[in-house]
Amino acid sequence: MDIAQAEDLEMEGACGGSCACSTCHVIVEDPEKYDAMPEPSDDENDMLDLAFGLTETSRLGCQVKMSKEIDGVKIRLPSMTRNLQAADFKGAKKS
């Protein structure tokens, strides 16, 4: 996420990289690079469930840490984002 924002790409990152929203949702174009990444945490998967245009190779940009194994990774941004955050669901009434 930091790299994308430094390059003026339109990646919001509403929660500041704390894995509490899905506005930095990215799609990894190369399945081999995706497989080289550490597995998403439960928190990341919960936030990805809220993301627009979820794919098999979706990740939150704030959770992708660059390494030699994924050097050269190509990602794309979905056509839109949803600004739903974990806080939007805390204290919600259950019916």
Side-chain angles (χ1 to χ4, degrees):
M1 181 177 81
D2 294 335
I3 294 169
Q5 289 177 338
E7 295 297 321
D8 292 324
L9 298 176
E10 292 187 30
M11 182 182 292
E12 184 176 350
C15 71
S18 64
C19 197
C21 74
S22 62
T23 59
C24 66
H25 171 218
V26 298
I27 300 165
V28 180
E29 293 287 288
D30 182 350
E32 290 178 13
K33 297 286 187 183
Y34 178 86
D35 290 341
M37 295 177 180
E39 291 286 323
S41 68
D42 289 342
D43 287 341
E44 181 178 359
N45 279 324
D46 288 346
M47 291 298 102
L48 283 169
D49 286 342
L50 304 174
F52 175 83
L54 189 64
T55 72
E56 290 292 319
T57 59
S58 288
R59 292 298 300 263
L60 295 183
C62 68
Q63 299 302 299
V64 174
K65 306 298 182 222
M66 294 306 297
S67 67
K68 288 181 184 180
E69 293 77 24
I70 63 168
D71 186 40
V73 65
K74 292 183 181 177
I75 63 165
R76 67 181 165 89
L77 300 177
S79 60
M80 63 179 280
T81 62
R82 291 184 188 141
N83 191 1
L84 297 175
Q85 299 183 21
D88 293 338
F89 299 97
K90 291 186 179 178
K93 278 189 160 182
K94 294 182 180 179
S95 37

